[in-house]
Amino acid sequence: MTGTVPPRSPASTTRTGTRATTPTGRTTQPITEGTDARRGGAPGASRPNGSGQSADRPTGLRAVTVSLGRRFSEGDRDVSLLIAVTLALVVYGLVMVLSSSSVEEFAAGNSISDKFVRQGLFALVGVPLMLIASRLPERFWSAMAWPLLVVGVALQALVLTPLGYEVNGNRAWIDLAGFSMQPAEVLKIALIVWLASVISRKEKLLNDWRHAFIPVVPVLVIAIGIALLTKDLGTVMVIAVCVLGALFCGGFPLTYLALGGIAAAGMSIVFAATSPNRVARISAFYTGDCDYEDLCWQSTHGLYALSAGGFFGVGLGNSRAKWSWLPEADNDFIFAIVGEEFGLVGALVMIALFVALAVLMVRLLVRSTSTFRRTIIGGVLVWLLFQGFVNIAVVLGLLPVLGVPLPLVSSGGSALLTTLGAIGIVLAMAHADTNETAARSRPRSGEGARRTSPTASRARER
């Protein structure tokens, strides 16, 4: 039987879930409970506006998210701060190189800014190099482990050829078509990256002494053995310590690390004992019986410079020690010039920058989830921290003179380039950790579609 169903008033509409349904089966727009009652009208009533649409049409409430750009994670902040601290140390170093080397360059008949200009050019190359290295993926550095090692060992071996030359009794430099460099700086990076690659590949086999010793021990013996032939004990100590730091952070068994540390200490003692000059310097340091005009000249005038600086210093450019009183004023003893010209305040600022550098790297190290990344970050951290500590301790008279420059601050183009490159690799490892954390936090494919509201689920059931 067919007929015409009389229309019903809006008040007689029935509600199912969140939608109003008429007897004819047509579904109206979603409504909100109580909306019409609050407005004083019957449920479903609407007031037309000038556009022909319902001005008071009830609609469901929806959340709107406005994106103001990608939020910075904790790792991003640490990366940005690490770049800022590194640049601050580089700028601090450039200012001090200009001040500490001006007299020496003038006495040599050069422009007083010659060393500063050279150091500045290396900084202009090194900072972009650091940023480029920071954007290279982890797999790139893993693939470059063996090539870097071969290049590092080959450059170090060139020191023993006619290309090498001696400075202050240490044959540790080479001259390549007018470009002077210290190959040991490249060797540090090469060993750290190579150790990271080896340890990450053999991580589960390191408890077996055969896998732990091969190929690590033979390669280290060759690389450090060649470095020992250059007679630069300070640089060899830094290489050995950064290797031990990389192995420790990479999870190398502590028993084998202890054996390696004992072997390194024994070699250092033997190597120092075979050099009469080193024996004299070490004995003078511990006994206090020192020839002022010979062995103790440099260390004594370094302390004179620090004491002359007082609390606020004598002012930038006003150092007296750099007037041929302090050898290596722009290199190994540049911290003494910092203390003289900027006083205790300036020296503490520089120390605070190195402490900040170490803290930021420790944060990146703790956050890292990959053995490869931890090994690299830990190796570079120990390298820079130990070398900076040794340099400052020598100036303060806490250690005998070892001839170790202050990272990022002392003059030296190859040292500045390699140090900035090493920090760039650390930044690359930090970026890899951040990307991995972000990938884990994103929902998997299809997971978002499965997450539906209860209202939508009930609507599908109906």
Side-chain angles (χ1 to χ4, degrees):
M1 174 178 175
T2 61
T4 303
V5 180
R8 290 186 177 185
S9 65
S12 64
T13 58
T14 59
R15 297 181 181 181
T16 304
T18 59
R19 294 180 179 270
T21 307
T22 64
T24 58
R26 296 174 60 187
T27 302
T28 64
Q29 294 292 330
I31 64 174
T32 306
E33 295 287 347
T35 301
D36 298 321
R38 287 195 301 270
R39 291 176 179 171
S46 61
R47 300 172 185 173
N49 56 17
S51 61
Q53 297 178 351
S54 175
D56 295 330
R57 176 181 294 170
T59 58
L61 299 178
R62 295 184 180 181
V64 178
T65 301
V66 179
S67 175
L68 298 178
R70 186 173 64 88
R71 292 179 297 176
F72 283 94
S73 66
E74 191 175 2
D76 292 326
R77 289 194 297 269
D78 290 339
V79 165
S80 301
L81 288 174
L82 181 58
I83 294 174
V85 171
T86 301
L87 294 179
L89 282 169
V90 171
V91 172
Y92 205 156
L94 288 174
V95 172
M96 295 314 303
V97 167
L98 174 61
S99 176
S100 59
S101 65
S102 57
V103 174
E104 180 185 347
E105 291 299 301
F106 178 77
N110 303 323
S111 171
I112 62 173
S113 61
D114 271 6
K115 274 195 176 180
F116 165 75
V117 171
R118 288 198 298 271
Q119 190 77 356
L121 290 175
F122 280 110
L124 289 176
V125 174
V127 171
L129 176 67
M130 175 185 72
L131 298 178
I132 292 173
S134 70
R135 306 312 301 181
L136 295 175
E138 178 182 351
R139 62 179 180 274
F140 172 84
W141 294 113
S142 179
M144 289 297 294
W146 279 100
L148 274 176
L149 178 67
V150 173
V151 171
V153 174
L155 288 175
Q156 188 65 44
L158 288 178
V159 174
L160 306 177
T161 68
L163 293 175
Y165 64 94
E166 186 175 306
V167 177
N168 296 330
N170 296 327
R171 190 180 178 89
W173 284 262
I174 59 175
D175 188 355
L176 297 175
F179 175 70
S180 177
M181 67 173 297
Q182 193 172 8
E185 301 297 329
V186 179
L187 185 61
K188 295 173 188 175
I189 297 180
L191 286 176
I192 291 173
V193 175
W194 179 80
L195 286 172
S197 177
V198 171
I199 293 175
S200 62
R201 292 174 186 273
K202 306 180 72 171
E203 183 177 4
K204 298 180 180 179
L205 303 173
L206 292 178
N207 289 325
D208 186 344
W209 69 270
R210 292 168 296 183
H211 288 281
F213 277 69
I214 299 174
V216 172
V217 173
V219 169
L220 291 181
V221 168
I222 294 173
I224 297 178
I226 295 175
L228 279 172
L229 296 177
T230 65
K231 302 180 181 180
D232 190 354
L233 181 59
T235 300
V236 173
M237 287 178 57
V238 173
I239 293 175
V241 170
C242 76
V243 164
L244 291 175
L247 292 173
F248 175 78
C249 295
F252 207 73
L254 294 179
T255 304
Y256 304 146
L257 280 178
L259 293 175
I262 294 172
M267 285 192 301
S268 299
I269 294 173
V270 172
F271 190 69
T274 56
S275 173
N277 184 40
R278 291 191 181 90
V279 171
R281 280 190 293 173
I282 295 173
S283 61
F285 172 79
Y286 284 107
T287 62
D289 184 12
C290 186
D291 183 2
Y292 165 74
E293 294 185 356
D294 186 14
L295 296 175
C296 286
W297 177 274
Q298 198 167 14
S299 57
T300 300
H301 281 277
L303 292 176
Y304 285 170
L306 290 174
S307 61
F311 195 79
F312 293 107
V314 298
L316 180 62
N318 295 327
S319 168
R320 299 181 182 91
K322 67 184 180 183
W323 288 82
S324 301
W325 290 102
L326 184 60
E328 304 296 334
D330 61 304
N331 200 333
D332 298 347
F333 274 77
I334 196 171
F335 185 76
I337 307 300
V338 172
E340 184 181 10
E341 296 190 346
F342 291 117
L344 178 63
V345 173
L348 289 178
V349 167
M350 179 165 287
I351 292 175
L353 288 174
F354 276 103
V355 171
L357 191 77
V359 169
L360 291 170
M361 285 195 181
V362 168
R363 288 172 61 87
L364 296 178
L365 175 65
V366 171
R367 192 177 299 115
S368 182
T369 58
S370 164
T371 301
F372 182 81
R373 301 173 206 147
R374 283 198 305 270
T375 306
I376 289 182
I377 297 174
V380 176
L381 166 66
V382 174
W383 164 17
L384 299 182
L385 192 62
F386 178 75
Q387 186 169 324
F389 167 78
V390 169
N391 178 276
I392 295 174
V394 167
V395 175
L396 296 177
L398 302 177
L399 289 174
V401 178
L402 294 173
V404 175
L406 190 59
L408 300 172
V409 178
S410 295
S411 65
S414 60
L416 181 60
L417 285 178
T418 51
T419 305
L420 288 173
I423 294 176
I425 299 175
V426 170
L427 295 173
M429 300 301 105
H431 283 306
D433 282 315
T434 302
N435 294 336
E436 185 178 287
T437 302
R440 286 200 303 265
S441 63
R442 285 195 295 265
R444 296 177 181 177
S445 177
E447 184 177 351
R450 292 193 297 269
R451 295 179 180 177
T452 55
S453 63
T455 303
S457 299
R458 289 194 297 269
R460 285 199 303 269
E461 291 175 2
R462 292 194 301 272

